[in-house]
Amino acid sequence: MATVHRPTEIEASAVEVYRLELTEAEQGALKAAPEEFLRELLERDGHTVNRLLVDTRILNGGCPEGEYEVVHLLSPPYRRSDHAVRCIPLP
């Protein structure tokens, strides 16, 4: 049976969740260069982006008829800050 466990005890991280609202021009820029566009957007908004995880649906041409969500994992000061951008399909 599969299990999920932490290999070591680490301090828990806090999580922030944002919705990403883009104009048509911004969606075009996202599709053209997803990682560069998202990193620049987040850094311009004051985030330190140590690692960026991007949903493969976004990398494969966007999120048709969906919305985008940014999940920011806030780690203790001595660790890195991770961002994940994912596609949220509309119901």
Side-chain angles (χ1 to χ4, degrees), residues 5-75:
H5 68 283
R6 287 186 184 164
T8 60
E9 286 300 315
I10 58 172
E11 188 174 336
S13 298
V15 177
E16 295 177 326
V17 179
Y18 305 93
R19 287 293 168 118
L20 189 57
E21 296 178 12
L22 304 174
T23 65
E24 284 187 38
E26 291 166 332
Q27 287 186 27
L30 173 64
K31 288 179 183 178
E35 294 176 59
E36 293 83 6
F37 175 83
L38 292 167
R39 182 175 295 277
E40 181 181 312
L41 174 69
L42 291 165
E43 289 176 347
R44 188 175 59 226
D45 197 42
H47 292 260
T48 299
V49 182
N50 297 110
R51 181 168 38 181
L52 179 61
L53 307 170
V54 182
D55 189 327
T56 56
R57 291 174 286 187
I58 296 169
L59 296 175
N60 291 330
C63 183
E65 298 182 27
E67 297 180 3
Y68 302 96
E69 183 175 76
V70 177
V71 179
H72 180 206
L73 302 176
L74 295 162
S75 298

